[in-house]
Amino acid sequence: MKAAVISFPGSNCDDDLVHAIRDVVGECAVKVPATATTLAGFDLVLVPGGFSYGDYLRSGAIAKFAPVMAALKQFAQAGGYVLGICNGFQILTEVGLLPGALQWNTSLQFICEPEPLVVANADTAFSSRYEAGQTITLPIAHGEGNYYADPATLAEIEANHQVVFRYAHNPNGSLNDIAGLTNVAGNVLGMMPHPERAVEQLIFGTDGLGVFESLVEATKEGVYAEN
Amino acid sequence: MYKAKIFVNYKPSVLDPKAQVIQNTLTRLGDDNVSHVLVGKYFELTLTAACQAAAEKQVARICDEMLANVNTETFKFTVEEMAVAE
Amino acid sequence: MYKAKIFVNYKPSVLDPKAQVIQNTLTRLGDDNVSHVLVGKYFELTLTAACQAAAEKQVARICDEMLANVNTETFKFTVEEMAVAE
Amino acid sequence: MLKTELSSAQIKTEKPYRQWGLTDAEYDRFAEKLGRLPNLTEIGLASGMWSEHCAYKYSKPVLKTFWTKNDRVLMGPGEGAGVIAIGEGKAVVFKAESHNHPSAVEPYQGAATGVGGIIRDIFSIGAKPVAILDSLAFGYPDNAHTKQLIDQVVAGIGDYGNAIGIPTVGGETKFASTYAQNPLVNAMCVGVMDESAIQRGKAAGTGNSLLYVGAKTGRDGINGASFASAEFSTEEEANRSAVQVGDPFMEKLLVDACLEVTRDHQEALVGMQDMGAAGLVSSTVEMADKAGYGMVLDLDLVPQREPNMTPFEIMLSESQERMMLCVKAGREDEVSAVFKQYDLDAVVIGHVTDDGRYRLLQHGETVCDVPVSLLTDDAPVYHQQGVKPQRLAHPAPDFVPVVTDAGATLKTLLADPNVADKTSLYRRYDAQVQTNTIVGPGGDAAVIRVRGTHRALALTTDSNGRYLALDPEIGGAITVAEAARNLVATGAEPIGITDCLNYGDPTKPEQFYSLQESAKGIVAATKALNTPVISGNVSLYNETNGEAIDPTPMIGMVGLIEDLSTITTPRFKAAGDLIYLLGETGSDFNGSLLQQVETSTVAGQLRPLDLKREQDIQRTVLSAIRQHLVSAAHDISDGGLAVALTEMTFHTGIGAQVKVAMPAAQLFSETQSRFLVTIPQDQQAAFETLAGAAATLIGKTGGPQLVALAEDGRIDEPISTLQTVWEESLPCLLK
Ligand SMILES: Nc1ncnc2c1ncn2[C@@H]1O[C@H](COP(=O)(O)OP(=O)(O)O)[C@@H](O)[C@H]1O
Ligand SMILES: [Mg+2]
């Protein structure tokens, strides 16, 4: 698997993603600057956590205008796998690759804590290594992770089984306890919890490994080998 | 030179955690006669443009693309020509 | 019933990284005719009060104590009596 | 700030320098050494450079007594931060800084810019910042003002570290009425680097360029250095210059760009320093001074956020996120290009000269021309004589607590905000980013792995104003020992410290006494525990309306773990493990949390700290951990044995039954040099051989209750109840 990790000014989980994929999972991962204009040749594109451009206006709002975004949209529309984590999730909703928006946590506070999650859908390229209904624990670290979509959109999301992870104890007010969801096609996932922070026993346990291993599996099958 | 004054607010259907917290705090502190809180963002842009209409068009685009998230927010704005002295 | 419309802005001498990033992005995207960006907060409060003066006094206090950080921000507001129908 | 430029003669008569903290005698000294009357810019620069914050004029004689070197120390105090070798070619860089005054005035930005400032100290050495710790002290949260202050300080620290992507992995939060008007906001940053890449803040080589990098200069925090060196009077707060605002996004770019320069352009770089207190003047003057050179700066070239700034304002502004680099002549473009890539301003504003003079030009005119040494070496040093306060000369009799219901006393202590669960505060900090955090907030010390090695670092901050209030010397030693115990409990060998010395007005002999005496205790303890002081910071004048805080040295300590499999935490691991108490317990209630809680004050005499015994106990615990004999370890501090034992049960569902040969009250005694450890039964013999008489077997882990039988009373409480009391207290108090 060859993964691109987009590095925006202000991203701060880009190195952690590269470390997880390259040093732990043992696959290829490279950082791609926000000024890049093509993502050709990659099996997977990751949009990392952090505070792109400071997140001063709204989280993800300015990243939307980065030059790499056109390539990202093209990559996703062609069926390429895209995983946005935390700020990456916020960015994917801002650019419209995922429905809804992420608002301030109801406590209005940043929250960093281990969060138990229920795997709601194990039939996706991002979650095949888990079992439906399984509970895993991943760290969250965000101020704006409160998922919102209007009622019609939310109903659609549920009808399409787009929700992949739900909070077991909703920490931030997300509608339907949504912690992570895909687009309709199932090739783009956004999630607030950080799987890349949970891939080594010593650091936070290994509950996050499944996400990357699922992707290795999915990209091996050559679903998107031609890009 | 034109000055644009822009208001970005949550759509009424969207629950705004910030407004909620302010409302609760006011109630707790005894300002319980305050019944409705709206929290929005306010921007001012100063810009040059060929005419009022051009300025308005540009501001609308900037709001739509950048200053507001149309999933959850609405915006409205005014554009005024600035006195030359300014 | 009264409606207060409140604007909270950074004092001009205080660095506003928000405005700076918006300005830079606009310039980068070709909206380089925008020369000055101000980012502020806008609040609306609905409240009951014995009279206009009482409402104004309360709003001023709420601004001073809660809505604005007087170290870095200034505020201004208007209070209007609302039509009964509202 | 100053509408009209005063002439040199007018300055002498109108004495505007007084408002910036310079005395008439200091003005005279400056004029005499200069050989003429200084102009407004020159005397303004002196007010910044001769402030306590920059010149350490009162604290220097005390700081000189610190023990700063052993064979591990690569760089001691004097630079942005100190450096200690940790093996495998790597070094750890750390420093702590106080932002007490700015945080009292504007809590959110004060705390945020405190974090931003200390981070710059770390990467200016060439190290990648890998962890932040915060040491906070507030008044009791029984009023809206304090609650708001706590909320904003925590938000400021969190928002900065979270955005920049450096984990805040630990710290401490203390509550006592002495901090009600003078909160303490100290932050520590830790970095890791290759031993070979240490960078110094110097400007050497005639003709080399001075490169200004980062944010533009505005009228923020002008003369903050002398502001930090002045005490508060409540009315004065209004007329401050603009508050400094932190921009963590800009700083993230600065960190990455500066590290890229130190990594890829070492040849072009002569020196690098952050602009901290007294901004542009202190960074450039210090860089010239360290190298023995002079410099000339053209102020028209300084990037400015506001029009019409005077030289005084430009030079003393404390705008954040700025760095000063000295770059070899001819290689400016190469270095600037790196910054341009990150969208950062990088401008040559002057160059190094060989005449030892500090010259500033504005609009083509010379606005300052003084010897560099006049601003540095010639600053006054005051050899103050401390006088023992009356209060200490006649200590109150020993406090004898009455404990009739030990379970109730335990619950009272668990609910005290000093002991209570701090999760609601530190969960607002990203403790995991960079994915090196092995033990985050909540343990005795944080533990982070060092990438590229097989090692880990343990990190802690500790302070204890209660003990210092009773005896600054013993209290100073205890603070160091307690920090070391926290590291040892994780399995780390303490290797060095940084400090923030938070005290009152040093011109008052009784306040100076505390500083002087506590330094004695700190020196003795650092020598005994082999933890040299490699960096630090003083914050004096923590007084409001004449009332000083309890002397509160904050010790930030770093420890080394060479075998990751030995990392130990305080929580019980299994039922059936044996519980040992190491050290002896006496009736040490003076200065204890129990005394504070029961009498709302502290009084009495502290027992001296036996440093030899401290050393022995710490060695024993560390050896046992390194031999894999220990399943959990915890030092005994606030609230004594009962509180420590309870803390070991949290989140484990495993209770304990212990029996101790002491009166029930002593369950809460704060006798120093003690630990609790649990030992799996199959290691009992090995552990007892190792520990000998130092360890007493007091019971076993297991069951749903915490049962502690003492000679004349007992604790018998469900651990779930105790945990609830501990968990719910602080969120409830802060509501
Ligand atoms: N302000 C804070 N920031 C980060 N961590 C904190 C803070 N306050 C307390 N903690 C964490 O809570 C735990 C308990 O703190 P404390 O009671 O001071 O420990 P100790 O008594 O062992 O020194 C520690 O792990 C500490 O890191
Ligand atoms: Mg401890």
Side-chain angles (χ1 to χ4, degrees), chain D residues 373-400:
Chain D
S373 57
L374 180 56
L375 295 170
T376 54
D377 304 345
D378 288 340
V381 175
Y382 298 118
H383 295 271
Q384 187 78 355
Q385 280 308 314
V387 171
K388 190 173 196 162
Q390 275 305 307
R391 168 176 61 83
L392 300 186
H394 307 286
D398 284 344
F399 172 61
V400 182

PDB file of all heavy atoms in Angstrom, chain D residues 373-400:
ATOM      1  N   SER D 373      28.127  46.047  26.955  1.00  0.00           N
ATOM      2  CA  SER D 373      28.342  45.624  28.346  1.00  0.00           C
ATOM      3  C   SER D 373      27.588  46.501  29.343  1.00  0.00           C
ATOM      4  O   SER D 373      27.276  46.068  30.444  1.00  0.00           O
ATOM      5  CB  SER D 373      29.831  45.645  28.675  1.00  0.00           C
ATOM      6  OG  SER D 373      30.333  46.948  28.434  1.00  0.00           O
ATOM      7  N   LEU D 374      27.272  47.734  28.921  1.00  0.00           N
ATOM      8  CA  LEU D 374      26.530  48.614  29.825  1.00  0.00           C
ATOM      9  C   LEU D 374      25.131  48.048  30.095  1.00  0.00           C
ATOM     10  O   LEU D 374      24.570  48.228  31.175  1.00  0.00           O
ATOM     11  CB  LEU D 374      26.435  50.022  29.206  1.00  0.00           C
ATOM     12  CG  LEU D 374      25.701  51.090  30.012  1.00  0.00           C
ATOM     13  CD1 LEU D 374      26.305  51.254  31.400  1.00  0.00           C
ATOM     14  CD2 LEU D 374      25.716  52.413  29.283  1.00  0.00           C
ATOM     15  N   LEU D 375      24.596  47.363  29.103  1.00  0.00           N
ATOM     16  CA  LEU D 375      23.249  46.809  29.270  1.00  0.00           C
ATOM     17  C   LEU D 375      23.281  45.432  29.940  1.00  0.00           C
ATOM     18  O   LEU D 375      22.262  44.926  30.382  1.00  0.00           O
ATOM     19  CB  LEU D 375      22.565  46.712  27.904  1.00  0.00           C
ATOM     20  CG  LEU D 375      22.294  48.060  27.227  1.00  0.00           C
ATOM     21  CD1 LEU D 375      21.851  47.872  25.783  1.00  0.00           C
ATOM     22  CD2 LEU D 375      21.255  48.850  28.003  1.00  0.00           C
ATOM     23  N   THR D 376      24.448  44.810  29.975  1.00  0.00           N
ATOM     24  CA  THR D 376      24.523  43.455  30.536  1.00  0.00           C
ATOM     25  C   THR D 376      25.358  43.438  31.810  1.00  0.00           C
ATOM     26  O   THR D 376      24.822  43.549  32.900  1.00  0.00           O
ATOM     27  CB  THR D 376      25.110  42.479  29.502  1.00  0.00           C
ATOM     28  OG1 THR D 376      26.377  42.989  29.042  1.00  0.00           O
ATOM     29  CG2 THR D 376      24.170  42.347  28.312  1.00  0.00           C
ATOM     30  N   ASP D 377      26.692  43.370  31.638  1.00  0.00           N
ATOM     31  CA  ASP D 377      27.581  43.221  32.806  1.00  0.00           C
ATOM     32  C   ASP D 377      27.471  44.367  33.801  1.00  0.00           C
ATOM     33  O   ASP D 377      27.697  44.179  34.991  1.00  0.00           O
ATOM     34  CB  ASP D 377      29.047  43.165  32.353  1.00  0.00           C
ATOM     35  CG  ASP D 377      29.270  42.042  31.352  1.00  0.00           C
ATOM     36  OD1 ASP D 377      28.376  41.171  31.259  1.00  0.00           O
ATOM     37  OD2 ASP D 377      30.311  42.046  30.675  1.00  0.00           O
ATOM     38  N   ASP D 378      27.175  45.567  33.293  1.00  0.00           N
ATOM     39  CA  ASP D 378      27.160  46.721  34.185  1.00  0.00           C
ATOM     40  C   ASP D 378      25.843  46.884  34.943  1.00  0.00           C
ATOM     41  O   ASP D 378      25.691  47.820  35.719  1.00  0.00           O
ATOM     42  CB  ASP D 378      27.452  48.004  33.394  1.00  0.00           C
ATOM     43  CG  ASP D 378      28.913  48.064  32.969  1.00  0.00           C
ATOM     44  OD1 ASP D 378      29.728  47.350  33.598  1.00  0.00           O
ATOM     45  OD2 ASP D 378      29.231  48.795  32.018  1.00  0.00           O
ATOM     46  N   ALA D 379      24.918  45.984  34.694  1.00  0.00           N
ATOM     47  CA  ALA D 379      23.673  46.062  35.465  1.00  0.00           C
ATOM     48  C   ALA D 379      24.009  45.878  36.934  1.00  0.00           C
ATOM     49  O   ALA D 379      24.937  45.145  37.282  1.00  0.00           O
ATOM     50  CB  ALA D 379      22.708  44.960  35.009  1.00  0.00           C
ATOM     51  N   PRO D 380      23.281  46.569  37.788  1.00  0.00           N
ATOM     52  CA  PRO D 380      23.598  46.458  39.215  1.00  0.00           C
ATOM     53  C   PRO D 380      23.300  45.063  39.751  1.00  0.00           C
ATOM     54  O   PRO D 380      22.428  44.360  39.217  1.00  0.00           O
ATOM     55  CB  PRO D 380      22.657  47.489  39.850  1.00  0.00           C
ATOM     56  CG  PRO D 380      21.545  47.665  38.879  1.00  0.00           C
ATOM     57  CD  PRO D 380      22.143  47.447  37.525  1.00  0.00           C
ATOM     58  N   VAL D 381      24.040  44.665  40.742  1.00  0.00           N
ATOM     59  CA  VAL D 381      23.718  43.434  41.474  1.00  0.00           C
ATOM     60  C   VAL D 381      23.603  43.836  42.932  1.00  0.00           C
ATOM     61  O   VAL D 381      24.492  44.503  43.468  1.00  0.00           O
ATOM     62  CB  VAL D 381      24.832  42.377  41.309  1.00  0.00           C
ATOM     63  CG1 VAL D 381      24.534  41.163  42.183  1.00  0.00           C
ATOM     64  CG2 VAL D 381      24.952  41.962  39.847  1.00  0.00           C
ATOM     65  N   TYR D 382      22.499  43.467  43.537  1.00  0.00           N
ATOM     66  CA  TYR D 382      22.279  43.862  44.924  1.00  0.00           C
ATOM     67  C   TYR D 382      22.492  42.675  45.843  1.00  0.00           C
ATOM     68  O   TYR D 382      21.886  41.622  45.664  1.00  0.00           O
ATOM     69  CB  TYR D 382      20.857  44.421  45.096  1.00  0.00           C
ATOM     70  CG  TYR D 382      20.631  45.655  44.261  1.00  0.00           C
ATOM     71  CD1 TYR D 382      19.675  45.678  43.254  1.00  0.00           C
ATOM     72  CD2 TYR D 382      21.401  46.795  44.460  1.00  0.00           C
ATOM     73  CE1 TYR D 382      19.477  46.799  42.477  1.00  0.00           C
ATOM     74  CE2 TYR D 382      21.213  47.928  43.679  1.00  0.00           C
ATOM     75  CZ  TYR D 382      20.247  47.926  42.687  1.00  0.00           C
ATOM     76  OH  TYR D 382      20.063  49.040  41.920  1.00  0.00           O
ATOM     77  N   HIS D 383      23.382  42.872  46.792  1.00  0.00           N
ATOM     78  CA  HIS D 383      23.633  41.798  47.757  1.00  0.00           C
ATOM     79  C   HIS D 383      22.768  42.051  48.978  1.00  0.00           C
ATOM     80  O   HIS D 383      23.184  42.672  49.951  1.00  0.00           O
ATOM     81  CB  HIS D 383      25.115  41.732  48.092  1.00  0.00           C
ATOM     82  CG  HIS D 383      25.935  41.336  46.898  1.00  0.00           C
ATOM     83  ND1 HIS D 383      26.201  40.024  46.599  1.00  0.00           N
ATOM     84  CD2 HIS D 383      26.467  42.069  45.897  1.00  0.00           C
ATOM     85  CE1 HIS D 383      26.896  39.972  45.463  1.00  0.00           C
ATOM     86  NE2 HIS D 383      27.069  41.206  45.015  1.00  0.00           N
ATOM     87  N   GLN D 384      21.586  41.577  48.871  1.00  0.00           N
ATOM     88  CA  GLN D 384      20.585  41.835  49.897  1.00  0.00           C
ATOM     89  C   GLN D 384      20.834  40.939  51.105  1.00  0.00           C
ATOM     90  O   GLN D 384      21.282  39.802  50.950  1.00  0.00           O
ATOM     91  CB  GLN D 384      19.220  41.526  49.266  1.00  0.00           C
ATOM     92  CG  GLN D 384      18.042  41.878  50.084  1.00  0.00           C
ATOM     93  CD  GLN D 384      17.755  43.373  50.021  1.00  0.00           C
ATOM     94  OE1 GLN D 384      18.510  44.145  49.436  1.00  0.00           O
ATOM     95  NE2 GLN D 384      16.674  43.764  50.650  1.00  0.00           N
ATOM     96  N   GLN D 385      20.566  41.468  52.284  1.00  0.00           N
ATOM     97  CA  GLN D 385      20.660  40.649  53.501  1.00  0.00           C
ATOM     98  C   GLN D 385      19.270  40.188  53.908  1.00  0.00           C
ATOM     99  O   GLN D 385      18.387  41.007  54.108  1.00  0.00           O
ATOM    100  CB  GLN D 385      21.285  41.455  54.636  1.00  0.00           C
ATOM    101  CG  GLN D 385      22.806  41.545  54.572  1.00  0.00           C
ATOM    102  CD  GLN D 385      23.468  40.181  54.425  1.00  0.00           C
ATOM    103  OE1 GLN D 385      23.112  39.234  55.128  1.00  0.00           O
ATOM    104  NE2 GLN D 385      24.404  40.053  53.485  1.00  0.00           N
ATOM    105  N   GLY D 386      19.082  38.903  54.020  1.00  0.00           N
ATOM    106  CA  GLY D 386      17.788  38.393  54.459  1.00  0.00           C
ATOM    107  C   GLY D 386      17.639  38.529  55.966  1.00  0.00           C
ATOM    108  O   GLY D 386      18.621  38.504  56.710  1.00  0.00           O
ATOM    109  N   VAL D 387      16.418  38.711  56.388  1.00  0.00           N
ATOM    110  CA  VAL D 387      16.131  38.755  57.828  1.00  0.00           C
ATOM    111  C   VAL D 387      15.018  37.756  58.116  1.00  0.00           C
ATOM    112  O   VAL D 387      13.986  37.751  57.450  1.00  0.00           O
ATOM    113  CB  VAL D 387      15.688  40.173  58.269  1.00  0.00           C
ATOM    114  CG1 VAL D 387      15.179  40.149  59.703  1.00  0.00           C
ATOM    115  CG2 VAL D 387      16.829  41.153  58.108  1.00  0.00           C
ATOM    116  N   LYS D 388      15.269  36.916  59.096  1.00  0.00           N
ATOM    117  CA  LYS D 388      14.290  35.876  59.419  1.00  0.00           C
ATOM    118  C   LYS D 388      12.986  36.503  59.911  1.00  0.00           C
ATOM    119  O   LYS D 388      12.999  37.307  60.850  1.00  0.00           O
ATOM    120  CB  LYS D 388      14.878  34.985  60.507  1.00  0.00           C
ATOM    121  CG  LYS D 388      14.074  33.728  60.774  1.00  0.00           C
ATOM    122  CD  LYS D 388      14.834  32.826  61.752  1.00  0.00           C
ATOM    123  CE  LYS D 388      14.291  31.427  61.740  1.00  0.00           C
ATOM    124  NZ  LYS D 388      15.226  30.456  62.324  1.00  0.00           N
ATOM    125  N   PRO D 389      11.879  36.146  59.311  1.00  0.00           N
ATOM    126  CA  PRO D 389      10.604  36.712  59.762  1.00  0.00           C
ATOM    127  C   PRO D 389      10.285  36.255  61.190  1.00  0.00           C
ATOM    128  O   PRO D 389      10.626  35.138  61.566  1.00  0.00           O
ATOM    129  CB  PRO D 389       9.577  36.141  58.784  1.00  0.00           C
ATOM    130  CG  PRO D 389      10.355  35.585  57.650  1.00  0.00           C
ATOM    131  CD  PRO D 389      11.714  35.258  58.164  1.00  0.00           C
ATOM    132  N   GLN D 390       9.634  37.116  61.922  1.00  0.00           N
ATOM    133  CA  GLN D 390       9.210  36.820  63.293  1.00  0.00           C
ATOM    134  C   GLN D 390       8.480  35.490  63.407  1.00  0.00           C
ATOM    135  O   GLN D 390       8.747  34.674  64.269  1.00  0.00           O
ATOM    136  CB  GLN D 390       8.254  37.929  63.775  1.00  0.00           C
ATOM    137  CG  GLN D 390       8.960  39.124  64.334  1.00  0.00           C
ATOM    138  CD  GLN D 390       9.922  38.731  65.454  1.00  0.00           C
ATOM    139  OE1 GLN D 390       9.538  38.064  66.414  1.00  0.00           O
ATOM    140  NE2 GLN D 390      11.187  39.107  65.323  1.00  0.00           N
ATOM    141  N   ARG D 391       7.586  35.318  62.491  1.00  0.00           N
ATOM    142  CA  ARG D 391       6.749  34.128  62.407  1.00  0.00           C
ATOM    143  C   ARG D 391       7.605  32.857  62.484  1.00  0.00           C
ATOM    144  O   ARG D 391       7.237  31.868  63.120  1.00  0.00           O
ATOM    145  CB  ARG D 391       6.014  34.254  61.067  1.00  0.00           C
ATOM    146  CG  ARG D 391       5.283  33.134  60.504  1.00  0.00           C
ATOM    147  CD  ARG D 391       4.571  33.625  59.213  1.00  0.00           C
ATOM    148  NE  ARG D 391       5.489  34.104  58.176  1.00  0.00           N
ATOM    149  CZ  ARG D 391       6.117  33.315  57.318  1.00  0.00           C
ATOM    150  NH1 ARG D 391       5.935  32.025  57.344  1.00  0.00           N
ATOM    151  NH2 ARG D 391       6.935  33.822  56.413  1.00  0.00           N
ATOM    152  N   LEU D 392       8.790  32.866  61.825  1.00  0.00           N
ATOM    153  CA  LEU D 392       9.625  31.677  61.804  1.00  0.00           C
ATOM    154  C   LEU D 392      10.505  31.586  63.047  1.00  0.00           C
ATOM    155  O   LEU D 392      10.921  30.499  63.453  1.00  0.00           O
ATOM    156  CB  LEU D 392      10.511  31.662  60.558  1.00  0.00           C
ATOM    157  CG  LEU D 392       9.779  31.677  59.214  1.00  0.00           C
ATOM    158  CD1 LEU D 392      10.770  31.506  58.074  1.00  0.00           C
ATOM    159  CD2 LEU D 392       8.723  30.581  59.166  1.00  0.00           C
ATOM    160  N   ALA D 393      10.774  32.740  63.645  1.00  0.00           N
ATOM    161  CA  ALA D 393      11.621  32.741  64.833  1.00  0.00           C
ATOM    162  C   ALA D 393      10.907  32.088  66.014  1.00  0.00           C
ATOM    163  O   ALA D 393      11.531  31.500  66.886  1.00  0.00           O
ATOM    164  CB  ALA D 393      12.033  34.172  65.174  1.00  0.00           C
ATOM    165  N   HIS D 394       9.617  32.186  66.014  1.00  0.00           N
ATOM    166  CA  HIS D 394       8.846  31.611  67.125  1.00  0.00           C
ATOM    167  C   HIS D 394       7.746  30.716  66.593  1.00  0.00           C
ATOM    168  O   HIS D 394       6.585  31.109  66.568  1.00  0.00           O
ATOM    169  CB  HIS D 394       8.249  32.726  67.981  1.00  0.00           C
ATOM    170  CG  HIS D 394       9.263  33.719  68.452  1.00  0.00           C
ATOM    171  ND1 HIS D 394      10.164  33.422  69.442  1.00  0.00           N
ATOM    172  CD2 HIS D 394       9.553  34.970  68.024  1.00  0.00           C
ATOM    173  CE1 HIS D 394      10.964  34.469  69.629  1.00  0.00           C
ATOM    174  NE2 HIS D 394      10.618  35.416  68.774  1.00  0.00           N
ATOM    175  N   PRO D 395       8.105  29.531  66.149  1.00  0.00           N
ATOM    176  CA  PRO D 395       7.087  28.667  65.548  1.00  0.00           C
ATOM    177  C   PRO D 395       6.038  28.224  66.572  1.00  0.00           C
ATOM    178  O   PRO D 395       6.344  28.104  67.760  1.00  0.00           O
ATOM    179  CB  PRO D 395       7.890  27.469  65.027  1.00  0.00           C
ATOM    180  CG  PRO D 395       9.192  27.514  65.726  1.00  0.00           C
ATOM    181  CD  PRO D 395       9.443  28.921  66.140  1.00  0.00           C
ATOM    182  N   ALA D 396       4.846  28.004  66.084  1.00  0.00           N
ATOM    183  CA  ALA D 396       3.758  27.524  66.942  1.00  0.00           C
ATOM    184  C   ALA D 396       4.086  26.108  67.408  1.00  0.00           C
ATOM    185  O   ALA D 396       4.893  25.406  66.805  1.00  0.00           O
ATOM    186  CB  ALA D 396       2.457  27.530  66.138  1.00  0.00           C
ATOM    187  N   PRO D 397       3.465  25.676  68.484  1.00  0.00           N
ATOM    188  CA  PRO D 397       3.668  24.294  68.929  1.00  0.00           C
ATOM    189  C   PRO D 397       3.150  23.299  67.891  1.00  0.00           C
ATOM    190  O   PRO D 397       2.371  23.663  67.015  1.00  0.00           O
ATOM    191  CB  PRO D 397       2.849  24.206  70.220  1.00  0.00           C
ATOM    192  CG  PRO D 397       1.942  25.385  70.208  1.00  0.00           C
ATOM    193  CD  PRO D 397       2.585  26.435  69.370  1.00  0.00           C
ATOM    194  N   ASP D 398       3.619  22.065  67.998  1.00  0.00           N
ATOM    195  CA  ASP D 398       3.208  21.043  67.028  1.00  0.00           C
ATOM    196  C   ASP D 398       1.690  20.923  66.942  1.00  0.00           C
ATOM    197  O   ASP D 398       0.995  20.956  67.951  1.00  0.00           O
ATOM    198  CB  ASP D 398       3.786  19.679  67.428  1.00  0.00           C
ATOM    199  CG  ASP D 398       5.266  19.603  67.095  1.00  0.00           C
ATOM    200  OD1 ASP D 398       5.738  20.457  66.312  1.00  0.00           O
ATOM    201  OD2 ASP D 398       5.938  18.701  67.620  1.00  0.00           O
ATOM    202  N   PHE D 399       1.252  20.758  65.736  1.00  0.00           N
ATOM    203  CA  PHE D 399      -0.176  20.549  65.509  1.00  0.00           C
ATOM    204  C   PHE D 399      -0.519  19.090  65.825  1.00  0.00           C
ATOM    205  O   PHE D 399       0.137  18.180  65.324  1.00  0.00           O
ATOM    206  CB  PHE D 399      -0.510  20.872  64.060  1.00  0.00           C
ATOM    207  CG  PHE D 399      -1.914  20.524  63.655  1.00  0.00           C
ATOM    208  CD1 PHE D 399      -2.999  21.132  64.287  1.00  0.00           C
ATOM    209  CD2 PHE D 399      -2.159  19.574  62.669  1.00  0.00           C
ATOM    210  CE1 PHE D 399      -4.296  20.811  63.919  1.00  0.00           C
ATOM    211  CE2 PHE D 399      -3.463  19.263  62.295  1.00  0.00           C
ATOM    212  CZ  PHE D 399      -4.535  19.879  62.931  1.00  0.00           C
ATOM    213  N   VAL D 400      -1.524  18.902  66.647  1.00  0.00           N
ATOM    214  CA  VAL D 400      -1.943  17.536  66.983  1.00  0.00           C
ATOM    215  C   VAL D 400      -3.366  17.347  66.493  1.00  0.00           C
ATOM    216  O   VAL D 400      -4.308  17.860  67.076  1.00  0.00           O
ATOM    217  CB  VAL D 400      -1.881  17.304  68.512  1.00  0.00           C
ATOM    218  CG1 VAL D 400      -2.263  15.857  68.830  1.00  0.00           C
ATOM    219  CG2 VAL D 400      -0.496  17.620  69.039  1.00  0.00           C
TER     220      VAL D 400
END
